[in-house]
Each structure stands twice: as structure tokens, then as C-alpha cells.
Amino acid sequence: GECIRGENAWIYRYAFFYAPMWLGLAITTVVMVLSTYHVFKTENASTKWRFGPTETNYYTSGRHGDDDNDDNDAPPPLRQSMTTTTTPSRRRSSISQTLVNAMAKMEELKLTRQVFWQALCYVLAFYVSWAFPTIVRLMQTLERDVPYALWLLFAIFMPMQGFLNALVYYRPRRRQQQQQQRQQQ
């Protein structure tokens, strides 16, 4: 029983298949993170052009300069840094207010949320499709017995990558249809 592919076949499998595949996945993940960050920055920068008073829309909201206190004339981040008291209760209040403001801001950044979830789903489809084959190959390389359940997951999820990508691709369209149906009711 000499192996037909040679003694170093496992090296070639990793060097020419798994390494490029996982490198591609890492690059895809980084590109998705950068794309989401770019959308966040763009959408965040555009909030000053929105109508209506919001915390992120400070300069156009008409909130500044309403009373005689000079500290209230400063934008929210500067106003916070001008605070001189740092008691624990003041800090907790400031932190909780910051969290509330961040949550309100995320509600405003609708496009960022959409891009984030779409990118996450796309990358997860890639991870789910290739996690089990990689684990099986690593276990084989380490000469360990591969459980049947792992082989089954390998056989189910690896060929489903295209289907999972299609689900991710059609996800926004399906959500839009559901929203239109809710509005019609």
C-alpha cells in the first residue's frame, strides 16, 4: 500500500487548496468590515444634512445656544469634555447617556445596519460552508478518527455554499416584500 499521490500529498492539499481558500475568506472578511465601516462613515457624515433635531444632528437641530449657559453652546462631545466634576454617579450617568445616544444613532444609521447584516450573513455562509471540511481534513492530517456526525456536516454544508449565498443575496428583497405586505395590511 504505497500512496499513489506521494508522501507529501497533505502538504499540497493545504498549500494549494486550504491555505488559498482560508486566505480568500480572511480577505473577504476584511473587505466586508471595511465596506461596512465606509458606509458607516459616509452615513454618519451625512447626518448633519438630515432634517429634524437629533443628537447626531446637533449643528442643524437648533438646540445649541438656547440658554445662557456657555457649556450648552458646545457640541455634545465638547460639552462632555468641559465637565469638571467626575463623581462616580456623574460618570455612570454620562456612560449610560452615551450608550443611549449610541443606540439612538444606530437607529438613524439604517443603511449601515443593512450593510452590516448583509456582509455578516455573506461571510457566515462562507464560514459555515468550509468550517466542517477544514476540521475533517485537520483531523485526518493529525491521524485522528473523524466522527460520523462531522462527516455528515461536511457532506451537508460544503455543497450548500451556493444555496446559502443565494439566500443571502435574496434576503434584502424578501425583507422588502415583507415590509410592503405589512404596509398594505
Side-chain angles (χ1 to χ4, degrees):
E2 184 77 22
C3 180
I4 296 172
R5 288 176 266 163
E7 295 288 323
N8 298 324
W10 67 274
I11 294 173
Y12 300 126
R13 178 183 295 151
Y14 286 104
F16 297 113
F17 183 73
Y18 284 103
M21 188 232 354
W22 282 101
L23 178 65
L25 180 56
I27 290 170
T28 301
T29 303
V30 168
V31 167
M32 292 298 175
V33 167
L34 292 175
S35 297
T36 303
Y37 180 68
H38 177 73
V39 170
F40 168 76
K41 279 184 13 182
T42 303
E43 192 172 23
N44 194 29
S46 72
T47 58
K48 67 181 177 182
W49 303 109
R50 291 186 183 162
F51 294 107
T54 63
E55 186 67 21
T56 58
N57 193 359
Y58 176 79
Y59 294 102
T60 59
S61 68
R63 288 184 50 215
H64 58 287
D66 289 341
D67 52 11
D68 295 332
N69 187 347
D70 289 338
D71 287 354
N72 285 337
D73 249 359
L78 186 57
R79 190 178 327 131
Q80 220 172 21
S81 68
M82 291 167 54
T83 306
T84 56
T85 54
T86 57
T87 62
S89 63
R90 169 80 83 168
R91 269 185 261 143
R92 277 193 299 274
S93 171
S94 175
I95 290 171
S96 64
Q97 187 60 40
T98 302
L99 289 174
V100 168
N101 290 344
M103 295 297 283
K105 188 173 194 170
M106 281 310 292
E107 283 300 315
E108 289 180 15
L109 301 177
K110 184 178 178 183
L111 184 60
T112 300
R113 278 196 333 267
Q114 290 173 348
V115 169
F116 168 78
W117 285 110
Q118 190 69 8
L120 180 67
C121 289
Y122 178 72
V123 171
L124 282 177
F126 203 153
Y127 277 108
V128 166
S129 298
W130 288 100
F132 301 112
T134 302
I135 294 169
V136 166
R137 293 301 180 214
L138 284 172
M139 289 181 75
Q140 287 177 332
T141 301
L142 299 173
E143 298 178 1
R144 302 237 170 117
D145 289 334
V146 179
Y148 177 76
L150 201 53
W151 278 110
L152 187 61
L153 292 170
F154 178 146
I156 290 172
F157 285 103
M158 191 179 121
M160 285 184 59
Q161 183 177 3
F163 177 72
L164 294 174
N165 284 338
L167 288 178
V168 172
Y169 178 78
Y170 289 111
R171 181 181 160 274
R173 290 152 186 80
R174 178 67 182 140
R175 291 191 63 154
Q176 186 177 21
Q177 286 176 346
Q178 289 172 341
Q179 287 174 350
Q180 288 173 351
Q181 289 173 353
R182 276 190 227 124
Q183 290 174 354
Q184 290 175 355
Q185 293 177 353

